[in-house]
Amino acid sequence: VGVTAQPGSDFVETSGSIPLADAPWVRQIEIPIVGDVIDENDERLLIALQSAQALIDPTVEIEIIDDDIVSLIVDDIDVPEGEPANVAIRLSNPSDRPIGVGWETIDGTATSPNDYVADAGGFAFAPGETTEVVEIDTIDGEPLEFDETFQVEAAADGGLVATGVVTIVNDGLPEIVGGTDIIIAVPSGTTRPTQVTWFLDAVDERDGPLPVGCDPNSGAGFTVGRTPVNCTATDSRGNESTAVFDVIVSEFEGIFVGLQGGQQQRQFRPGAQVDFTGVGFDPGGRVIVELRSDPVVLGTFVADESGAVDATVAIPADTPPGEHTLAMLDVSAGGQQVLVTVDIDPAAPTTFGEPGDPTEPPATPDVDPPPSTDDPPVPPGGLPSTGAPTAVVAALAFVFLLAGVSLALATRRHQARRARPVT
């Protein structure tokens, strides 16, 4: 017979008879107890005994000891910046009695009111309930912050305590570094595509460096005109950034030279190697490379059948520090020249092509425009300027000095070969 225990949910009602006429005088009666996971008070039931003889105690009381232990849980969650944090506060298993709960937020790397709105409150689990959700507002912060956290601490009747962590996930977009317009100069009449290479990086505050994909891709061939390039970087959460720039292939008349070695700042150590790539020279003509202000001939080369020259020269080891000028002169075309200003500094970073650092990639080609007809005369011993198309090359020089873009200057012949020095 149930007292506080209920038949069916707590025990199985049963009946029967046992003989007591003969020894032994002790008999066992089995009453099935129903197990559950509900946190509840201990419960009682009675066994009623009947006999023809008088009984000392006609009832036996049985107590069902509850062994279900309830615990309090506060879930950890991730929430995007600016979205409400819906934090679940739970009981590990149901209870047959009300359980009061109080909760509050606690600063972590996320602080109120900069990153979220501090809050506190209380509620009671009704019998059988196991979950309540509290809402906490977060603040949309500045882009490219790191993920930040704060805690939700809860305490319930019976000394139950629990703490959950709310992570405010910054959903800022990856940042693509670079992506400025690229202008390539090709000789007038060029019809074949010109290969253009660039290097773009992307960084995400959570994922770190990310790959950048472009359409058309770096290294593709571009014909004369303007071609848009669309680049994207995607982080692990699906946030996508885009960069759009143009590759502009322009025709020009005259000489055009790209400085391939060294840094973008065009700094070289004495004794360093410098690589030139030039187009627009007289096919088969002599090309002289000089270091000024006191002219020193660094090499004489012959342009190939397309008028292109690839030249490697060495800065003299005794070159005094300071600003100097490298000149490439087309002797066969009446002395047309292109000048590139460089800084000679013994403390300059090691440049590509120097012994001891063969892995460092070439820097962005740097170009100085040829002097206009108003430029002062060259120093004694130098060749005079013949006024190559200053406006075109000056514009190109500006574009090639744009930060964040590294490109390999393409010439009319796509399979460039090293020009042979004149002996």
Side-chain angles (χ1 to χ4, degrees), residues 279-338:
V279 295
F281 295 101
D282 207 22
R286 286 196 312 143
V287 178
I288 297 176
V289 179
E290 289 185 342
L291 178 66
R292 302 173 180 172
S293 56
D294 293 330
V296 176
V297 176
L298 303 182
T300 302
F301 302 86
V302 175
D304 66 14
E305 66 275 6
S306 68
V309 171
D310 282 351
T312 297
V313 296
I315 302 294
D318 59 354
T319 302
E323 188 174 278
H324 296 263
T325 300
L326 285 169
M328 185 175 272
L329 305 97
D330 189 346
V331 179
S332 303
Q336 290 191 80
Q337 62 180 330
V338 175

Short mmCIF file of all heavy atoms in Angstrom, two decimals, residues 279-338:
data_model
loop_
_atom_site.label_atom_id
_atom_site.label_comp_id
_atom_site.label_asym_id
_atom_site.label_seq_id
_atom_site.Cartn_x
_atom_site.Cartn_y
_atom_site.Cartn_z
N VAL A 279 62.72 46.86 -72.59
CA VAL A 279 62.15 46.62 -73.91
C VAL A 279 62.16 47.93 -74.68
O VAL A 279 62.27 49.02 -74.10
CB VAL A 279 60.71 46.07 -73.82
CG1 VAL A 279 60.69 44.71 -73.16
CG2 VAL A 279 59.80 47.04 -73.07
N GLY A 280 62.02 47.83 -76.00
CA GLY A 280 61.95 49.01 -76.84
C GLY A 280 63.30 49.45 -77.38
O GLY A 280 63.39 50.52 -78.01
N PHE A 281 64.34 48.65 -77.15
CA PHE A 281 65.65 48.99 -77.70
C PHE A 281 65.71 48.59 -79.17
O PHE A 281 64.86 47.85 -79.69
CB PHE A 281 66.76 48.28 -76.91
CG PHE A 281 66.86 48.74 -75.49
CD1 PHE A 281 66.33 47.98 -74.45
CD2 PHE A 281 67.49 49.94 -75.17
CE1 PHE A 281 66.42 48.40 -73.14
CE2 PHE A 281 67.58 50.36 -73.85
CZ PHE A 281 67.05 49.60 -72.84
N ASP A 282 66.75 49.11 -79.84
CA ASP A 282 66.96 48.77 -81.23
C ASP A 282 67.40 47.31 -81.32
O ASP A 282 68.39 46.92 -80.68
CB ASP A 282 68.06 49.68 -81.81
CG ASP A 282 67.91 49.88 -83.29
OD1 ASP A 282 66.79 49.69 -83.79
OD2 ASP A 282 68.92 50.22 -83.95
N PRO A 283 66.66 46.43 -82.03
CA PRO A 283 67.05 45.02 -82.11
C PRO A 283 68.50 44.88 -82.57
O PRO A 283 68.92 45.46 -83.57
CB PRO A 283 66.07 44.43 -83.13
CG PRO A 283 64.87 45.31 -83.04
CD PRO A 283 65.41 46.69 -82.78
N GLY A 284 69.27 44.11 -81.82
CA GLY A 284 70.66 43.90 -82.14
C GLY A 284 71.57 45.04 -81.75
O GLY A 284 72.80 44.97 -81.97
N GLY A 285 71.01 46.09 -81.17
CA GLY A 285 71.81 47.26 -80.82
C GLY A 285 72.53 47.11 -79.50
O GLY A 285 72.21 46.26 -78.67
N ARG A 286 73.54 47.98 -79.31
CA ARG A 286 74.32 47.97 -78.08
C ARG A 286 73.59 48.77 -77.00
O ARG A 286 73.06 49.84 -77.27
CB ARG A 286 75.70 48.57 -78.31
CG ARG A 286 76.64 47.66 -79.07
CD ARG A 286 78.08 48.11 -78.93
NE ARG A 286 78.24 49.53 -79.16
CZ ARG A 286 79.08 50.32 -78.49
NH1 ARG A 286 79.80 49.82 -77.51
NH2 ARG A 286 79.19 51.61 -78.79
N VAL A 287 73.59 48.22 -75.80
CA VAL A 287 72.98 48.88 -74.64
C VAL A 287 74.04 48.94 -73.55
O VAL A 287 74.61 47.92 -73.16
CB VAL A 287 71.74 48.12 -74.15
CG1 VAL A 287 71.16 48.80 -72.91
CG2 VAL A 287 70.69 48.03 -75.25
N ILE A 288 74.29 50.15 -73.06
CA ILE A 288 75.29 50.37 -72.01
C ILE A 288 74.58 50.66 -70.70
O ILE A 288 73.63 51.44 -70.65
CB ILE A 288 76.24 51.53 -72.38
CG1 ILE A 288 77.03 51.19 -73.65
CG2 ILE A 288 77.18 51.84 -71.23
CD1 ILE A 288 77.91 52.33 -74.13
N VAL A 289 75.07 50.03 -69.63
CA VAL A 289 74.55 50.31 -68.29
C VAL A 289 75.65 51.04 -67.53
O VAL A 289 76.78 50.55 -67.43
CB VAL A 289 74.16 49.02 -67.56
CG1 VAL A 289 73.65 49.35 -66.16
CG2 VAL A 289 73.10 48.27 -68.34
N GLU A 290 75.28 52.24 -67.00
CA GLU A 290 76.24 53.07 -66.27
C GLU A 290 75.74 53.34 -64.87
O GLU A 290 74.54 53.36 -64.61
CB GLU A 290 76.45 54.42 -66.97
CG GLU A 290 77.20 54.36 -68.27
CD GLU A 290 77.44 55.77 -68.82
OE1 GLU A 290 76.76 56.71 -68.37
OE2 GLU A 290 78.31 55.90 -69.67
N LEU A 291 76.69 53.57 -63.95
CA LEU A 291 76.39 54.07 -62.61
C LEU A 291 76.90 55.50 -62.54
O LEU A 291 78.06 55.77 -62.85
CB LEU A 291 77.06 53.22 -61.53
CG LEU A 291 76.84 53.70 -60.08
CD1 LEU A 291 75.38 53.56 -59.69
CD2 LEU A 291 77.73 52.92 -59.12
N ARG A 292 76.04 56.44 -62.18
CA ARG A 292 76.41 57.84 -62.07
C ARG A 292 76.17 58.29 -60.63
O ARG A 292 75.42 57.63 -59.90
CB ARG A 292 75.55 58.67 -63.03
CG ARG A 292 75.69 58.22 -64.50
CD ARG A 292 74.68 58.95 -65.36
NE ARG A 292 74.79 58.55 -66.76
CZ ARG A 292 73.93 58.93 -67.69
NH1 ARG A 292 72.92 59.72 -67.37
NH2 ARG A 292 74.09 58.54 -68.94
N SER A 293 76.85 59.37 -60.11
CA SER A 293 77.12 60.59 -60.85
C SER A 293 78.46 60.57 -61.59
O SER A 293 78.57 61.06 -62.72
CB SER A 293 77.08 61.77 -59.89
OG SER A 293 77.99 61.56 -58.82
N ASP A 294 79.53 60.05 -60.99
CA ASP A 294 80.75 59.87 -61.76
C ASP A 294 80.54 58.62 -62.60
O ASP A 294 80.49 57.50 -62.05
CB ASP A 294 81.95 59.69 -60.83
CG ASP A 294 82.26 60.97 -60.06
OD1 ASP A 294 81.98 62.06 -60.61
OD2 ASP A 294 82.75 60.87 -58.93
N PRO A 295 80.38 58.76 -63.92
CA PRO A 295 79.96 57.61 -64.73
C PRO A 295 80.95 56.45 -64.64
O PRO A 295 82.15 56.62 -64.80
CB PRO A 295 79.90 58.18 -66.14
CG PRO A 295 79.77 59.65 -65.97
CD PRO A 295 80.54 59.99 -64.73
N VAL A 296 80.41 55.30 -64.34
CA VAL A 296 81.16 54.06 -64.34
C VAL A 296 80.37 53.07 -65.18
O VAL A 296 79.20 52.79 -64.89
CB VAL A 296 81.36 53.50 -62.92
CG1 VAL A 296 82.08 52.15 -62.97
CG2 VAL A 296 82.11 54.48 -62.05
N VAL A 297 80.97 52.55 -66.24
CA VAL A 297 80.29 51.58 -67.09
C VAL A 297 80.26 50.24 -66.36
O VAL A 297 81.30 49.68 -66.02
CB VAL A 297 80.99 51.45 -68.46
CG1 VAL A 297 80.32 50.35 -69.29
CG2 VAL A 297 80.94 52.78 -69.21
N LEU A 298 79.05 49.74 -66.14
CA LEU A 298 78.88 48.47 -65.44
C LEU A 298 78.74 47.31 -66.40
O LEU A 298 78.88 46.15 -65.99
CB LEU A 298 77.65 48.54 -64.53
CG LEU A 298 77.64 49.66 -63.49
CD1 LEU A 298 76.38 49.55 -62.62
CD2 LEU A 298 78.89 49.63 -62.63
N GLY A 299 78.42 47.57 -67.66
CA GLY A 299 78.29 46.49 -68.62
C GLY A 299 77.76 47.00 -69.94
O GLY A 299 77.08 48.02 -70.00
N THR A 300 78.07 46.28 -70.99
CA THR A 300 77.54 46.56 -72.32
C THR A 300 76.88 45.30 -72.83
O THR A 300 77.44 44.21 -72.76
CB THR A 300 78.67 46.99 -73.28
OG1 THR A 300 79.32 48.15 -72.75
CG2 THR A 300 78.10 47.32 -74.66
N PHE A 301 75.65 45.45 -73.36
CA PHE A 301 74.83 44.30 -73.73
C PHE A 301 74.28 44.50 -75.13
O PHE A 301 74.31 45.61 -75.68
CB PHE A 301 73.69 44.10 -72.73
CG PHE A 301 74.18 43.92 -71.32
CD1 PHE A 301 74.43 45.02 -70.51
CD2 PHE A 301 74.39 42.65 -70.81
CE1 PHE A 301 74.88 44.85 -69.21
CE2 PHE A 301 74.85 42.48 -69.51
CZ PHE A 301 75.10 43.58 -68.71
N VAL A 302 73.75 43.44 -75.71
CA VAL A 302 73.15 43.49 -77.03
C VAL A 302 71.68 43.11 -76.91
O VAL A 302 71.34 42.06 -76.32
CB VAL A 302 73.87 42.53 -78.00
CG1 VAL A 302 73.16 42.51 -79.36
CG2 VAL A 302 75.32 42.96 -78.18
N ALA A 303 70.79 43.97 -77.43
CA ALA A 303 69.36 43.67 -77.42
C ALA A 303 69.07 42.52 -78.36
O ALA A 303 69.71 42.37 -79.40
CB ALA A 303 68.57 44.91 -77.82
N ASP A 304 68.09 41.70 -78.01
CA ASP A 304 67.74 40.58 -78.88
C ASP A 304 66.90 41.05 -80.05
O ASP A 304 66.66 42.25 -80.24
CB ASP A 304 67.06 39.47 -78.08
CG ASP A 304 65.70 39.88 -77.52
OD1 ASP A 304 65.16 40.91 -77.96
OD2 ASP A 304 65.19 39.16 -76.64
N GLU A 305 66.41 40.09 -80.84
CA GLU A 305 65.70 40.45 -82.06
C GLU A 305 64.39 41.17 -81.81
O GLU A 305 63.83 41.80 -82.70
CB GLU A 305 65.43 39.18 -82.89
CG GLU A 305 64.48 38.18 -82.27
CD GLU A 305 65.17 37.24 -81.30
OE1 GLU A 305 66.38 37.44 -81.02
OE2 GLU A 305 64.51 36.29 -80.82
N SER A 306 63.87 41.10 -80.56
CA SER A 306 62.64 41.83 -80.24
C SER A 306 62.92 43.17 -79.58
O SER A 306 61.99 43.88 -79.20
CB SER A 306 61.77 40.98 -79.31
OG SER A 306 62.38 40.85 -78.05
N GLY A 307 64.21 43.52 -79.44
CA GLY A 307 64.55 44.78 -78.80
C GLY A 307 64.54 44.71 -77.29
O GLY A 307 64.44 45.73 -76.62
N ALA A 308 64.64 43.51 -76.73
CA ALA A 308 64.58 43.34 -75.28
C ALA A 308 65.97 43.02 -74.73
O ALA A 308 66.79 42.39 -75.40
CB ALA A 308 63.62 42.22 -74.91
N VAL A 309 66.21 43.46 -73.50
CA VAL A 309 67.47 43.22 -72.81
C VAL A 309 67.19 42.78 -71.38
O VAL A 309 66.42 43.43 -70.67
CB VAL A 309 68.37 44.47 -72.80
CG1 VAL A 309 69.58 44.26 -71.90
CG2 VAL A 309 68.82 44.82 -74.20
N ASP A 310 67.80 41.67 -70.98
CA ASP A 310 67.87 41.30 -69.56
C ASP A 310 69.33 41.45 -69.17
O ASP A 310 70.20 40.80 -69.75
CB ASP A 310 67.43 39.86 -69.34
CG ASP A 310 65.91 39.72 -69.36
OD1 ASP A 310 65.24 40.75 -69.37
OD2 ASP A 310 65.44 38.57 -69.37
N ALA A 311 69.60 42.30 -68.20
CA ALA A 311 70.98 42.60 -67.84
C ALA A 311 71.18 42.48 -66.35
O ALA A 311 70.36 42.97 -65.57
CB ALA A 311 71.35 44.01 -68.30
N THR A 312 72.29 41.84 -65.97
CA THR A 312 72.68 41.77 -64.56
C THR A 312 74.01 42.48 -64.41
O THR A 312 74.98 42.17 -65.12
CB THR A 312 72.82 40.32 -64.10
OG1 THR A 312 71.54 39.67 -64.19
CG2 THR A 312 73.28 40.27 -62.65
N VAL A 313 74.05 43.46 -63.52
CA VAL A 313 75.27 44.21 -63.27
C VAL A 313 75.55 44.20 -61.78
O VAL A 313 74.67 43.89 -60.97
CB VAL A 313 75.16 45.66 -63.79
CG1 VAL A 313 74.99 45.68 -65.30
CG2 VAL A 313 74.03 46.40 -63.09
N ALA A 314 76.76 44.54 -61.39
CA ALA A 314 77.15 44.59 -59.98
C ALA A 314 77.51 46.02 -59.60
O ALA A 314 78.23 46.71 -60.34
CB ALA A 314 78.33 43.66 -59.73
N ILE A 315 76.99 46.46 -58.47
CA ILE A 315 77.39 47.76 -57.94
C ILE A 315 78.84 47.64 -57.47
O ILE A 315 79.17 46.73 -56.70
CB ILE A 315 76.48 48.16 -56.76
CG1 ILE A 315 75.01 48.21 -57.19
CG2 ILE A 315 76.91 49.50 -56.18
CD1 ILE A 315 74.70 49.27 -58.21
N PRO A 316 79.73 48.54 -57.90
CA PRO A 316 81.12 48.43 -57.45
C PRO A 316 81.21 48.44 -55.93
O PRO A 316 80.48 49.16 -55.24
CB PRO A 316 81.78 49.68 -58.06
CG PRO A 316 80.95 49.99 -59.27
CD PRO A 316 79.54 49.63 -58.89
N ALA A 317 82.10 47.63 -55.42
CA ALA A 317 82.23 47.50 -53.97
C ALA A 317 82.70 48.78 -53.31
O ALA A 317 82.46 48.99 -52.11
CB ALA A 317 83.20 46.35 -53.65
N ASP A 318 83.38 49.68 -54.08
CA ASP A 318 83.87 50.93 -53.49
C ASP A 318 82.94 52.10 -53.74
O ASP A 318 83.32 53.25 -53.53
CB ASP A 318 85.26 51.24 -54.04
CG ASP A 318 85.27 51.38 -55.57
OD1 ASP A 318 84.20 51.11 -56.20
OD2 ASP A 318 86.31 51.74 -56.14
N THR A 319 81.70 51.81 -54.15
CA THR A 319 80.74 52.90 -54.38
C THR A 319 80.43 53.59 -53.06
O THR A 319 80.04 52.93 -52.08
CB THR A 319 79.45 52.36 -55.00
OG1 THR A 319 79.77 51.70 -56.23
CG2 THR A 319 78.46 53.49 -55.27
N PRO A 320 80.59 54.92 -52.99
CA PRO A 320 80.29 55.62 -51.73
C PRO A 320 78.80 55.59 -51.43
O PRO A 320 77.96 55.56 -52.33
CB PRO A 320 80.77 57.05 -52.00
CG PRO A 320 80.74 57.20 -53.49
CD PRO A 320 81.06 55.86 -54.05
N PRO A 321 78.43 55.59 -50.15
CA PRO A 321 77.01 55.60 -49.79
C PRO A 321 76.32 56.86 -50.31
O PRO A 321 76.95 57.90 -50.50
CB PRO A 321 77.02 55.57 -48.26
CG PRO A 321 78.37 55.04 -47.90
CD PRO A 321 79.30 55.52 -48.97
N GLY A 322 75.03 56.75 -50.54
CA GLY A 322 74.25 57.90 -50.98
C GLY A 322 73.43 57.56 -52.20
O GLY A 322 73.35 56.41 -52.64
N GLU A 323 72.80 58.59 -52.74
CA GLU A 323 71.92 58.43 -53.90
C GLU A 323 72.74 58.43 -55.18
O GLU A 323 73.59 59.29 -55.40
CB GLU A 323 70.88 59.54 -53.93
CG GLU A 323 69.81 59.35 -54.98
CD GLU A 323 68.72 60.40 -54.89
OE1 GLU A 323 67.81 60.25 -54.05
OE2 GLU A 323 68.81 61.40 -55.64
N HIS A 324 72.47 57.45 -56.04
CA HIS A 324 73.15 57.33 -57.32
C HIS A 324 72.11 57.07 -58.39
O HIS A 324 70.94 56.80 -58.10
CB HIS A 324 74.18 56.19 -57.28
CG HIS A 324 75.30 56.41 -56.32
ND1 HIS A 324 76.53 56.91 -56.69
CD2 HIS A 324 75.37 56.23 -54.97
CE1 HIS A 324 77.31 57.00 -55.63
NE2 HIS A 324 76.62 56.59 -54.57
N THR A 325 72.56 57.11 -59.64
CA THR A 325 71.67 56.89 -60.77
C THR A 325 72.22 55.76 -61.63
O THR A 325 73.40 55.76 -62.00
CB THR A 325 71.53 58.16 -61.63
OG1 THR A 325 70.99 59.20 -60.81
CG2 THR A 325 70.59 57.90 -62.80
N LEU A 326 71.35 54.80 -61.93
CA LEU A 326 71.68 53.77 -62.90
C LEU A 326 71.05 54.18 -64.22
O LEU A 326 69.86 54.52 -64.28
CB LEU A 326 71.13 52.42 -62.45
CG LEU A 326 71.90 51.72 -61.32
CD1 LEU A 326 71.09 50.53 -60.80
CD2 LEU A 326 73.26 51.26 -61.80
N ALA A 327 71.85 54.16 -65.27
CA ALA A 327 71.38 54.56 -66.59
C ALA A 327 71.52 53.41 -67.55
O ALA A 327 72.55 52.72 -67.58
CB ALA A 327 72.17 55.77 -67.08
N MET A 328 70.48 53.19 -68.37
CA MET A 328 70.53 52.21 -69.44
C MET A 328 70.38 52.99 -70.75
O MET A 328 69.36 53.64 -70.99
CB MET A 328 69.43 51.16 -69.28
CG MET A 328 69.50 50.02 -70.30
SD MET A 328 68.27 48.72 -69.97
CE MET A 328 69.19 47.68 -68.85
N LEU A 329 71.41 52.94 -71.61
CA LEU A 329 71.47 53.78 -72.80
C LEU A 329 71.45 52.91 -74.05
O LEU A 329 72.19 51.92 -74.15
CB LEU A 329 72.75 54.62 -72.79
CG LEU A 329 72.98 55.49 -71.55
CD1 LEU A 329 73.91 54.79 -70.58
CD2 LEU A 329 73.54 56.83 -71.96
N ASP A 330 70.59 53.30 -74.98
CA ASP A 330 70.50 52.62 -76.27
C ASP A 330 71.43 53.35 -77.23
O ASP A 330 71.06 54.35 -77.84
CB ASP A 330 69.06 52.63 -76.76
CG ASP A 330 68.86 51.76 -77.99
OD1 ASP A 330 69.87 51.37 -78.61
OD2 ASP A 330 67.69 51.47 -78.33
N VAL A 331 72.65 52.88 -77.34
CA VAL A 331 73.65 53.55 -78.17
C VAL A 331 73.22 53.55 -79.63
O VAL A 331 73.37 54.54 -80.36
CB VAL A 331 75.02 52.87 -78.01
CG1 VAL A 331 76.07 53.53 -78.90
CG2 VAL A 331 75.47 52.92 -76.56
N SER A 332 72.62 52.46 -80.10
CA SER A 332 72.26 52.34 -81.50
C SER A 332 71.13 53.28 -81.89
O SER A 332 70.95 53.60 -83.05
CB SER A 332 71.86 50.90 -81.81
OG SER A 332 72.90 50.00 -81.47
N ALA A 333 70.32 53.69 -80.92
CA ALA A 333 69.19 54.57 -81.22
C ALA A 333 69.51 56.02 -80.92
O ALA A 333 68.63 56.81 -80.61
CB ALA A 333 67.97 54.12 -80.42
N GLY A 334 70.78 56.37 -80.98
CA GLY A 334 71.15 57.77 -80.78
C GLY A 334 71.26 58.18 -79.35
O GLY A 334 71.25 59.37 -79.04
N GLY A 335 71.37 57.24 -78.44
CA GLY A 335 71.62 57.60 -77.05
C GLY A 335 70.39 57.76 -76.20
O GLY A 335 70.44 58.39 -75.15
N GLN A 336 69.24 57.17 -76.60
CA GLN A 336 68.09 57.20 -75.70
C GLN A 336 68.45 56.50 -74.40
O GLN A 336 69.18 55.52 -74.40
CB GLN A 336 66.89 56.50 -76.34
CG GLN A 336 66.28 57.25 -77.51
CD GLN A 336 64.96 56.62 -77.91
OE1 GLN A 336 63.94 56.86 -77.28
NE2 GLN A 336 64.99 55.80 -78.96
N GLN A 337 67.90 57.00 -73.30
CA GLN A 337 68.28 56.45 -72.01
C GLN A 337 67.10 56.45 -71.05
O GLN A 337 66.16 57.22 -71.20
CB GLN A 337 69.43 57.24 -71.40
CG GLN A 337 69.08 58.70 -71.12
CD GLN A 337 70.23 59.46 -70.51
OE1 GLN A 337 71.05 58.89 -69.81
NE2 GLN A 337 70.30 60.76 -70.76
N VAL A 338 67.19 55.55 -70.11
CA VAL A 338 66.24 55.50 -69.00
C VAL A 338 67.05 55.49 -67.71
O VAL A 338 68.05 54.78 -67.59
CB VAL A 338 65.35 54.25 -69.07
CG1 VAL A 338 64.46 54.16 -67.82
CG2 VAL A 338 64.47 54.29 -70.31
#
